[in-house]
Amino acid sequence: MVRAEMEAQQSSWNNGDIVGFMEYYWKSDSLKFIGSKGITYGWQKTLDNYIRSYPDKATMGVLKFTIRE
């Protein structure tokens, strides 16, 4: 199940679908996301930051999850 969800999330990202990518995260104000600019709290704030940082598919690049274990 986890692998399938990660593949779906990866596919969403690679199709430029940030909202679809974010569907797999906890939709709560208590979500804590740690990125290059520090900690962001909240699902909506994290989504807003992604949309602002990646305005189009070209800026998103390609995501490839590697499952090691």
Side-chain angles (χ1 to χ4, degrees):
M1 180 173 156
V2 172
R3 184 180 303 256
E5 289 183 355
M6 289 178 70
E7 288 173 358
Q9 188 179 33
Q10 177 179 284
S11 179
S12 291
W13 183 269
N14 292 334
N15 287 321
D17 179 6
I18 294 174
V19 174
F21 173 81
M22 285 293 297
E23 285 298 314
Y24 298 90
Y25 289 103
W26 184 33
K27 291 181 184 158
S28 169
D29 290 340
S30 297
L31 174 75
K32 184 190 295 185
F33 180 84
I34 302 171
S36 63
K37 296 179 182 176
I39 300 173
T40 299
Y41 292 95
W43 186 90
Q44 186 64 53
K45 179 71 173 160
T46 301
L47 173 63
D48 294 344
N49 287 348
Y50 268 123
I51 291 171
R52 185 174 43 258
S53 297
Y54 301 101
D56 55 45
K57 187 176 174 183
T59 60
M60 293 172 73
V62 175
L63 176 65
K64 174 73 172 124
F65 289 127
T66 301
I67 299 172
R68 300 190 185 261
E69 293 186 33

